Amino acid sequence: MSSRRQFIQQLGLASLGGMLSPSIGVAQSKTAKIYTVTGAINASELGVCLSHEHIMSNFGAERSYQPNYDATALKAQVLPYLKRIKSLGVDSILDCTTAYFGRDVKLLKELSEESEIYLITNTGYYGAANDRYVPEHAYQETTEQLAERWINEFERGIDQTDIRPGFIKIAADGGGVSDIDKKLMQAALKTSQATELTIACHTGDNPAVPKLALELMNEESIEPSVWIWTHAHQMETSEELIAMAKEGMWISLDGLRIKGYYGGADQLVLDKHLQHLLALKEQSLLPRVLVSHDGNSFPRGGAIRPYEAIFTRFIPMLKENGFTQQEIDQLLVVNPQQAFAIDK
Ligand SMILES: [Zn+2]
């Protein structure tokens, strides 16, 4: 068992001074940290955390390593929005935009400094969208060579900076598991073994992906808590989420991206997340769950896709449905720390 897993087992509740409830927090080992774009922080500083958002992306554009954003337009749109999110109580955001569809760590660093929100970037490639954002070299290179690129980003920094990834982001298409998606999964696991970084794998309603992930992890004696089933809310029923959570995998219910504030469609999104959460809670599995919006504050220069419904809509709904403040803190404060803290 890695030292990270031992530390998670040793966790107990202690005072954190978190935004939502000062009495709730996690006692971290002194070395438990998370790499943000402005440097390593103690995991307990993560605070109220949105674990799956996009600060910006070029999704929809042709694959390109250089995102070439209009930095002035981007900052004019994103900074006021980050300040709004901070006013709602958010301390940290994991940016899930990978290389080749819009990752720009220097811009993320500037935005973090100016908004005073911790931003965490990633290493890895995006294998969904019919592999549109998978670079050519990923097909030619071995799994080991691919992992070496990602491990190098962790050890040496991204794009000749000292900015390190705080997690691994990959993605798989629906309908079984393709060869390239499997290769990305294996490279991610190798990277995780070398770095301790946790893997967020865009999956949605394709249970073949977490099943294969579990097999691969069992083969290598890797704890399933390094794996996040991202977009798990897309599953119609909760059985498979419960099964994987029982195995120790993280379940990310991250589609709380409602467009307006009223209307039936929004309510359906909220209800679906609530239904999964209630099912997981009934099995005492809330300690395995992450919640987020998959919003985007600069989708190729388009209108902001908000990431605030958790605070404006969903928390009140959770309270109406019997969730305690401690359980809400578990989802937004305690679980992200446990999911992403490493000892490296
Ligand atoms: Zn996303």
Side-chain angles (χ1 to χ4, degrees):
M1 190 189 293
S2 73
S3 56
R4 168 191 154 141
R5 301 304 145 204
Q6 283 161 358
F7 123 73
I8 284 170
Q9 286 188 347
Q10 288 156 9
L11 291 175
L13 291 176
S15 176
L16 169 76
M19 295 291 294
L20 290 182
S21 174
S23 63
I24 295 299
V26 179
Q28 304 282 357
S29 78
K30 280 207 176 66
T31 52
K33 63 180 102 140
I34 292 170
Y35 287 95
T36 78
V37 294
T38 48
I41 58 170
N42 188 297
S44 64
E45 293 177 80
L46 196 65
V48 174
C49 176
L50 295 178
S51 51
H52 189 113
E53 312 294 347
H54 299 266
I55 303 301
M56 54 212 179
S57 82
N58 266 332
F59 195 78
E62 287 306 306
R63 176 180 65 234
S64 159
Y65 188 78
Q66 293 300 335
N68 294 317
Y69 295 114
D70 175 343
T72 308
L74 189 148
K75 281 187 178 177
Q77 178 162 315
V78 174
L79 260 179
Y81 193 66
L82 287 178
K83 285 175 184 165
R84 163 155 178 81
I85 293 307
K86 187 163 175 70
S87 78
L88 293 172
V90 173
D91 299 304
S92 55
I93 301 174
L94 280 87
D95 180 72
C96 289
T97 298
T98 64
Y100 294 95
F101 83 85
R103 185 187 64 171
D104 185 328
V105 299
K106 290 174 197 158
L107 260 176
L108 284 176
K109 186 177 181 186
E110 288 174 32
L111 290 165
S112 176
E113 284 167 346
E114 290 178 48
S115 67
E116 300 185 334
I117 292 183
Y118 290 125
L119 299 178
I120 294 110
T121 190
N122 65 81
T123 190
Y125 295 150
Y126 188 85
N130 296 318
D131 307 315
R132 186 171 175 188
Y133 297 100
V134 178
E136 272 309 309
H137 64 247
Y139 294 91
Q140 278 119 39
E141 292 181 358
T142 64
T143 304
E144 288 73 16
Q145 286 170 318
L146 209 46
E148 202 179 308
R149 287 176 182 266
W150 300 345
I151 294 164
N152 273 337
E153 289 201 323
F154 178 75
E155 290 178 346
R156 297 178 196 170
I158 299 168
D159 297 343
Q160 285 83 51
T161 71
D162 57 3
I163 299 169
R164 303 167 100 180
F167 67 112
I168 301 159
K169 169 76 191 292
I170 56 170
D173 281 306
V177 184
S178 69
D179 288 347
I180 188 65
D181 289 344
K182 183 175 178 184
K183 194 193 240 185
L184 296 179
M185 292 168 70
Q186 289 172 312
L189 284 167
K190 279 195 190 307
T191 306
S192 178
Q193 282 180 289
T195 62
E196 292 188 19
L197 293 177
T198 299
I199 301 158
C201 180
H202 165 118
T203 298
D205 61 354
N206 180 4
V209 172
K211 272 181 200 142
L212 175 61
L214 195 61
E215 272 174 44
L216 296 171
M217 289 188 282
N218 285 340
E219 277 167 23
E220 303 282 335
S221 302
I222 300 171
E223 287 283 324
S225 57
V226 302
W227 197 272
I228 303 171
W229 181 347
T230 297
H231 310 325
H233 60 275
Q234 290 174 8
M235 292 293 286
E236 275 312 314
T237 63
S238 306
E239 282 91 69
E240 273 148 310
L241 309 190
I242 288 168
M244 288 302 161
K246 281 184 176 166
E247 295 285 351
M249 206 176 270
W250 291 98
I251 304 300
S252 181
L253 307 175
D254 50 42
L256 289 157
R257 196 180 69 213
I258 61 174
K259 288 202 172 73
Y261 288 106
Y262 303 101
D266 287 359
Q267 196 57 42
L268 287 179
V269 169
L270 298 171
D271 287 345
K272 192 164 187 197
H273 285 71
L274 178 66
Q275 166 213 307
H276 285 311
L277 261 183
L278 284 168
L280 287 154
K281 181 181 167 179
E282 200 177 284
Q283 302 284 325
S284 304
L285 289 168
L286 285 189
R288 294 282 95 204
V289 182
L290 300 166
V291 292
S292 210
H293 308 86
D294 196 16
N296 194 326
S297 37
F298 198 77
R300 283 191 76 198
I304 288 169
R305 295 207 309 253
Y307 34 97
E308 59 190 77
I310 286 176
F311 305 96
T312 56
R313 294 283 301 277
F314 198 56
I315 287 177
M317 197 170 162
L318 289 177
K319 288 182 173 166
E320 279 164 28
N321 284 276
F323 282 75
T324 64
Q325 186 62 50
Q326 189 175 340
E327 287 166 338
I328 293 165
D329 290 346
Q330 170 109 42
L331 295 170
L332 289 169
V333 179
V334 178
N335 290 352
Q337 282 179 41
Q338 296 197 358
F340 298 105
I342 64 173
D343 275 331
K344 284 266 176 181

